Coordinates of all heavy atoms in Angstrom, one line a residue:
Q121 N 4.0 -6.6 1.4 CA 4.7 -6.3 2.6 C 3.8 -5.9 3.7 O 4.0 -6.3 4.9 CB 5.8 -5.3 2.3 CG 6.9 -5.7 1.4 CD 6.5 -5.6 -0.1 OE1 5.4 -5.1 -0.5 NE2 7.4 -6.0 -1.0
Q122 N 2.8 -5.1 3.4 CA 1.8 -4.7 4.4 C 1.0 -5.9 4.9 O 0.8 -6.0 6.2 CB 0.8 -3.7 3.9 CG 1.4 -2.3 3.6 CD 0.5 -1.4 2.8 OE1 -0.6 -1.8 2.4 NE2 1.0 -0.2 2.5
Y123 N 0.7 -6.8 4.1 CA 0.0 -8.1 4.5 C 0.9 -8.8 5.4 O 0.4 -9.4 6.4 CB -0.4 -8.9 3.2 CG -0.9 -10.3 3.5 CD1 -2.1 -10.5 4.0 CD2 0.0 -11.4 3.4 CE1 -2.6 -11.7 4.3 CE2 -0.5 -12.7 3.7 CZ -1.8 -12.8 4.1 OH -2.2 -14.1 4.4
N124 N 2.2 -8.9 5.1 CA 3.1 -9.6 6.0 C 3.2 -9.0 7.3 O 3.1 -9.7 8.4 CB 4.5 -9.7 5.3 CG 5.5 -10.4 6.1 OD1 6.7 -10.0 6.2 ND2 5.2 -11.6 6.7
V125 N 3.2 -7.7 7.4 CA 3.2 -7.0 8.7 C 1.9 -7.3 9.5 O 1.9 -7.5 10.7 CB 3.5 -5.5 8.6 CG1 3.4 -4.8 9.9 CG2 4.9 -5.3 8.0
L126 N 0.8 -7.2 8.8 CA -0.5 -7.5 9.4 C -0.5 -8.9 10.0 O -1.0 -9.2 11.1 CB -1.6 -7.4 8.5 CG -2.2 -6.0 8.2 CD1 -3.3 -6.0 7.2 CD2 -2.7 -5.4 9.5
R127 N 0.1 -9.9 9.3 CA 0.2 -11.3 9.8 C 1.1 -11.4 11.0 O 0.7 -12.1 12.0 CB 0.7 -12.2 8.7 CG -0.3 -12.6 7.6 CD 0.3 -13.5 6.6 NE 1.2 -14.5 7.1 CZ 0.8 -15.7 7.5 NH1 -0.4 -16.1 7.5 NH2 1.7 -16.6 8.0
I128 N 2.1 -10.6 11.0 CA 3.0 -10.6 12.2 C 2.3 -10.0 13.4 O 2.4 -10.5 14.5 CB 4.3 -9.8 11.9 CG1 5.2 -10.5 10.8 CG2 5.1 -9.5 13.1 CD1 6.3 -9.7 10.2
L129 N 1.6 -8.9 13.2 CA 0.9 -8.2 14.3 C -0.2 -9.2 14.8 O -0.4 -9.3 16.0 CB 0.3 -6.9 13.8 CG 1.2 -5.8 13.4 CD1 0.5 -4.6 12.8 CD2 2.1 -5.4 14.6
N130 N -0.9 -9.8 13.9 CA -2.0 -10.7 14.3 C -1.4 -11.9 15.1 O -2.0 -12.4 16.0 CB -2.7 -11.2 13.1 CG -4.0 -11.9 13.4 OD1 -4.8 -11.3 14.2 ND2 -4.2 -13.1 12.9
G131 N -0.3 -12.4 14.6 CA 0.4 -13.6 15.3 C 0.8 -13.2 16.7 O 0.9 -14.1 17.6
H132 N 1.1 -11.9 16.9 CA 1.6 -11.5 18.2 C 0.5 -11.0 19.1 O 0.7 -10.8 20.3 CB 2.6 -10.3 18.0 CG 3.7 -10.3 19.0 ND1 3.7 -9.5 20.1 CD2 4.9 -11.0 19.1 CE1 4.8 -9.7 20.8 NE2 5.5 -10.6 20.2
Y133 N -0.7 -10.8 18.5 CA -1.9 -10.3 19.2 C -2.3 -11.2 20.3 O -2.2 -12.4 20.2 CB -3.0 -10.1 18.2 CG -4.3 -9.5 18.8 CD1 -4.3 -8.1 18.9 CD2 -5.4 -10.2 19.1 CE1 -5.5 -7.5 19.4 CE2 -6.5 -9.7 19.7 CZ -6.5 -8.3 19.8 OH -7.7 -7.7 20.3
P134 N -2.7 -10.8 21.5 CA -3.0 -9.4 21.8 C -1.9 -8.5 22.4 O -2.0 -7.4 22.7 CB -4.1 -9.5 22.9 CG -3.7 -10.8 23.6 CD -3.1 -11.7 22.6
A135 N -0.7 -9.1 22.4 CA 0.5 -8.4 22.9 C 1.0 -7.5 21.8 O 0.9 -7.8 20.6 CB 1.6 -9.3 23.3
P136 N 1.5 -6.3 22.2 CA 2.1 -5.4 21.2 C 3.5 -5.9 20.8 O 4.0 -6.8 21.5 CB 2.2 -4.1 21.9 CG 2.3 -4.4 23.4 CD 1.5 -5.7 23.5
I137 N 4.0 -5.4 19.7 CA 5.3 -5.8 19.3 C 6.1 -4.5 18.8 O 5.4 -3.6 18.3 CB 5.3 -6.8 18.1 CG1 6.6 -7.3 17.7 CG2 4.5 -6.3 16.9 CD1 6.6 -8.5 16.8
T138 N 7.4 -4.5 19.0 CA 8.1 -3.3 18.6 C 8.4 -3.4 17.1 O 8.3 -4.5 16.5 CB 9.5 -3.2 19.3 OG1 10.3 -4.4 19.0 CG2 9.3 -3.1 20.8
I139 N 8.9 -2.3 16.5 CA 9.3 -2.3 15.1 C 10.4 -3.2 14.9 O 10.4 -4.0 13.9 CB 9.7 -0.8 14.7 CG1 8.5 0.2 14.8 CG2 10.3 -0.8 13.2 CD1 7.4 0.0 13.8
N140 N 11.4 -3.3 15.8 CA 12.5 -4.2 15.7 C 12.0 -5.7 15.7 O 12.5 -6.6 15.0 CB 13.5 -4.0 16.7 CG 14.4 -2.8 16.4 OD1 14.5 -2.4 15.3 ND2 15.0 -2.2 17.5
G141 N 11.0 -6.0 16.5 CA 10.4 -7.3 16.5 C 9.7 -7.6 15.2 O 9.8 -8.8 14.7
I142 N 9.1 -6.6 14.6 CA 8.5 -6.8 13.3 C 9.6 -7.1 12.2 O 9.5 -8.1 11.4 CB 7.6 -5.6 12.8 CG1 6.4 -5.5 13.8 CG2 7.2 -5.7 11.4 CD1 5.7 -4.2 13.6
I143 N 10.6 -6.3 12.3 CA 11.7 -6.5 11.3 C 12.3 -7.9 11.4 O 12.6 -8.6 10.4 CB 12.8 -5.5 11.6 CG1 12.3 -4.1 11.2 CG2 14.1 -5.8 10.8 CD1 13.2 -2.9 11.6
D144 N 12.5 -8.4 12.6 CA 13.0 -9.8 12.8 C 12.2 -10.9 12.2 O 12.7 -11.9 11.8 CB 13.2 -10.1 14.3 CG 14.3 -9.3 15.0 OD1 15.1 -8.7 14.3 OD2 14.3 -9.2 16.2
R145 N 10.9 -10.6 12.1 CA 10.0 -11.6 11.6 C 9.6 -11.5 10.1 O 8.9 -12.3 9.5 CB 8.7 -11.6 12.4 CG 9.0 -12.1 13.8 CD 7.8 -11.8 14.8 NE 7.9 -12.3 16.1 CZ 8.7 -11.7 17.1 NH1 9.3 -10.6 16.8 NH2 8.7 -12.3 18.3
M146 N 10.0 -10.4 9.5 CA 9.6 -10.1 8.1 C 10.2 -11.0 7.1 O 11.3 -11.4 7.2 CB 9.9 -8.6 7.7 CG 9.0 -7.6 8.5 SD 9.4 -5.9 8.0 CE 8.8 -5.9 6.3
L147 N 9.4 -11.3 6.1 CA 9.8 -12.2 5.0 C 10.8 -11.4 4.1 O 11.8 -12.0 3.6 CB 8.7 -12.7 4.2 CG 7.7 -13.6 5.0 CD1 6.5 -14.0 4.1 CD2 8.4 -14.9 5.5
D148 N 10.4 -10.2 3.8 CA 11.2 -9.3 2.9 C 12.1 -8.4 3.8 O 11.6 -7.4 4.2 CB 10.3 -8.5 2.0 CG 11.1 -7.6 1.0 OD1 12.3 -7.6 1.0 OD2 10.4 -7.0 0.2
K149 N 13.3 -8.8 4.0 CA 14.2 -8.1 4.9 C 14.6 -6.7 4.3 O 15.1 -5.8 5.0 CB 15.5 -8.9 5.1 CG 15.3 -10.2 5.8 CD 14.6 -10.1 7.1 CE 14.5 -11.5 7.8 NZ 13.7 -11.4 9.0
M150 N 14.3 -6.4 3.0 CA 14.6 -5.1 2.4 C 13.5 -4.1 2.6 O 13.7 -2.9 2.3 CB 14.9 -5.3 0.9 CG 16.0 -6.3 0.6 SD 17.6 -5.8 1.4 CE 18.0 -4.4 0.4
S151 N 12.4 -4.5 3.2 CA 11.3 -3.6 3.4 C 11.6 -2.7 4.5 O 12.2 -3.0 5.5 CB 10.0 -4.4 3.6 OG 9.6 -5.1 2.5
N152 N 11.0 -1.5 4.5 CA 11.1 -0.5 5.6 C 9.9 -0.7 6.5 O 8.8 -0.2 6.2 CB 11.2 0.9 5.0 CG 11.3 2.0 6.0 OD1 10.9 1.8 7.1 ND2 11.9 3.1 5.6
A153 N 10.2 -1.3 7.6 CA 9.1 -1.7 8.5 C 8.4 -0.4 9.1 O 7.2 -0.4 9.2 CB 9.6 -2.5 9.7
S154 N 9.2 0.6 9.4 CA 8.5 1.8 9.9 C 7.6 2.4 8.9 O 6.5 2.8 9.3 CB 9.6 2.9 10.3 OG 10.4 2.4 11.3
R155 N 8.0 2.5 7.7 CA 7.1 3.0 6.6 C 5.8 2.2 6.5 O 4.7 2.6 6.3 CB 7.9 3.1 5.3 CG 7.1 3.8 4.2 CD 7.9 3.8 2.9 NE 8.3 2.5 2.5 CZ 7.5 1.6 1.9 NH1 6.3 1.8 1.7 NH2 8.0 0.4 1.5
L156 N 6.0 0.8 6.5 CA 4.9 -0.1 6.4 C 3.9 0.1 7.5 O 2.7 0.1 7.3 CB 5.4 -1.5 6.3 CG 6.2 -1.9 5.0 CD1 6.8 -3.3 5.2 CD2 5.3 -1.9 3.8
V157 N 4.4 0.2 8.7 CA 3.6 0.4 9.9 C 2.8 1.8 9.8 O 1.6 1.8 10.0 CB 4.4 0.4 11.2 CG1 3.6 0.9 12.4 CG2 4.8 -1.1 11.5
D158 N 3.5 2.8 9.3 CA 2.9 4.1 9.0 C 1.7 4.0 8.1 O 0.6 4.5 8.3 CB 3.8 5.1 8.5 CG 4.8 5.6 9.5 OD1 4.6 5.4 10.7 OD2 5.9 6.2 9.1
K159 N 1.8 3.2 7.0 CA 0.7 3.0 6.1 C -0.4 2.2 6.8 O -1.6 2.6 6.5 CB 1.2 2.2 4.9 CG 2.2 2.9 4.0 CD 1.6 4.0 3.2 CE 2.6 4.6 2.3 NZ 2.0 5.7 1.5
L160 N -0.1 1.2 7.6 CA -1.2 0.5 8.3 C -1.9 1.4 9.3 O -3.1 1.3 9.6 CB -0.6 -0.7 9.0 CG -0.1 -1.8 8.0 CD1 0.6 -2.9 8.8 CD2 -1.2 -2.3 7.1
L161 N -1.1 2.3 9.9 CA -1.7 3.3 10.9 C -2.7 4.2 10.1 O -3.8 4.5 10.6 CB -0.7 4.2 11.5 CG 0.3 3.4 12.5 CD1 1.5 4.4 12.9 CD2 -0.4 2.9 13.7
Q162 N -2.3 4.7 8.9 CA -3.2 5.5 8.1 C -4.5 4.8 7.8 O -5.6 5.4 7.7 CB -2.5 6.0 6.8 CG -1.4 6.9 7.1 CD -0.6 7.2 5.8 OE1 -0.9 6.6 4.7 NE2 0.5 8.0 5.9
K163 N -4.4 3.5 7.5 CA -5.6 2.7 7.2 C -6.4 2.3 8.4 O -7.4 1.6 8.3 CB -5.2 1.5 6.3 CG -4.5 1.9 5.0 CD -4.0 0.7 4.3 CE -3.3 1.2 3.0 NZ -2.8 0.2 2.2
K164 N -5.9 2.6 9.6 CA -6.5 2.2 10.9 C -6.5 0.7 11.1 O -7.3 0.2 11.8 CB -7.9 2.8 11.0 CG -7.9 4.3 10.9 CD -9.2 4.9 11.4 CE -9.3 6.4 11.3 NZ -8.2 7.2 11.4
F165 N -5.5 0.0 10.5 CA -5.3 -1.4 10.7 C -4.4 -1.7 11.9 O -4.2 -2.9 12.3 CB -4.8 -2.1 9.5 CG -5.7 -2.0 8.3 CD1 -5.2 -2.1 7.0 CD2 -7.1 -1.8 8.5 CE1 -6.1 -2.1 5.9 CE2 -7.9 -1.8 7.4 CZ -7.4 -1.9 6.1
A166 N -3.7 -0.7 12.4 CA -2.8 -0.8 13.6 C -2.8 0.5 14.3 O -3.1 1.5 13.8 CB -1.4 -1.2 13.1
V167 N -2.3 0.4 15.6 CA -2.1 1.6 16.4 C -0.6 1.4 17.0 O -0.1 0.3 17.2 CB -3.1 1.7 17.6 CG1 -4.4 2.1 17.0 CG2 -3.1 0.5 18.4
R168 N 0.0 2.6 17.2 CA 1.3 2.6 17.7 C 1.3 3.5 19.0 O 0.7 4.6 19.0 CB 2.2 3.2 16.7 CG 3.7 3.4 17.1 CD 4.6 3.9 16.0 NE 4.0 5.0 15.3 CZ 4.4 5.3 14.1 NH1 5.3 4.6 13.4 NH2 3.8 6.4 13.5
T169 N 2.1 3.0 20.0 CA 2.2 3.8 21.2 C 3.7 3.8 21.6 O 4.4 2.9 21.4 CB 1.4 3.2 22.4 OG1 1.8 1.8 22.6 CG2 -0.1 3.3 22.2
T170 N 4.1 5.0 22.2 CA 5.5 5.1 22.6 C 5.7 4.3 23.9 O 4.8 4.3 24.8 CB 5.9 6.6 22.9 OG1 5.6 7.3 21.7 CG2 7.3 6.7 23.2

Side-chain angles (χ1 to χ4, degrees):
Q121 294 83 3
Q122 290 170 359
Y123 172 75
N124 183 220
V125 172
L126 277 176
R127 283 180 38 90
I128 292 166
L129 295 174
N130 194 52
H132 214 264
Y133 185 80
I137 186 171
T138 64
I139 298 290
N140 284 336
I142 293 170
I143 292 168
D144 290 343
R145 291 166 177 82
M146 289 182 69
L147 298 176
D148 181 358
K149 300 297 183 191
M150 301 304 290
S151 293
N152 182 333
S154 295
R155 183 183 57 78
L156 292 170
V157 167
D158 287 343
K159 294 287 186 184
L160 295 175
L161 295 172
Q162 289 172 2
K163 296 173 185 187
K164 302 200 183 323
F165 295 157
V167 291
R168 176 175 48 201
T169 57
T170 304

